[in-house]
Amino acid sequence: MKKAPICLVFTCILLVSACGGSDSTVDTSALSDHEKEWVEYSYAHEKSDETKRAWEELSAEGVKSYLERQRPTLCGDTASLMKSLKEAGYEAGEAQDYKEKVEDLLCSP
């Protein structure tokens, strides 16, 4: 269960970056367009500065690897995702928006 909160923290970091515009400091050069959009959205909505810094320190391959490891939780375990978002301080509407963005950008074929 410790992985879920960590994933959420990284996800939140990405969200904060996306809302702030396209000037993300996360290296998304190894990602597909949909993955890039999700990372920017997630970073823009991130609530933790510590998590933002962790994302910023990852290489392009590190970001790609992280997404691949988290995809099963993000796309297949809605209960854990929503619980992690709640624990990270997301309001119900924010969490629902986040879940929908994940589904649209990372989970849809």
Side-chain angles (χ1 to χ4, degrees), residues 77-84:
D77 192 350
T78 303
S80 290
L81 174 62
M82 296 304 276
K83 180 180 178 187
S84 293

Side-chain angles (χ1 to χ4, degrees), residues 36-71:
K36 285 179 186 179
E37 187 177 343
W38 180 80
V39 166
E40 290 171 359
Y41 173 85
S42 182
Y43 184 87
H45 291 86
E46 177 54 49
K47 297 178 184 287
S48 165
D49 288 337
E50 184 178 335
T51 302
K52 287 181 186 181
R53 283 191 299 275
W55 271 108
E56 294 166 1
E57 292 174 4
L58 290 174
S59 67
E61 288 304 318
V63 172
K64 178 86 174 166
S65 176
Y66 173 78
L67 282 179
E68 292 307 314
R69 287 190 317 270
Q70 297 311 313
R71 196 177 302 266

Side-chain angles (χ1 to χ4, degrees), residues 13-28 36 39-44 52 55-56 63:
I13 289 176
L14 295 177
L15 289 174
V16 172
S17 172
C19 289
S22 61
D23 57 347
S24 170
T25 56
V26 177
D27 188 347
T28 59
K36 285 179 186 179
V39 166
E40 290 171 359
Y41 173 85
S42 182
Y43 184 87
K52 287 181 186 181
W55 271 108
E56 294 166 1
V63 172

Side-chain angles (χ1 to χ4, degrees), residues 80-97:
S80 290
L81 174 62
M82 296 304 276
K83 180 180 178 187
S84 293
L85 290 169
K86 182 179 179 181
E87 290 172 354
Y90 283 79
E91 299 293 327
E94 292 175 310
Q96 183 63 34
D97 290 345

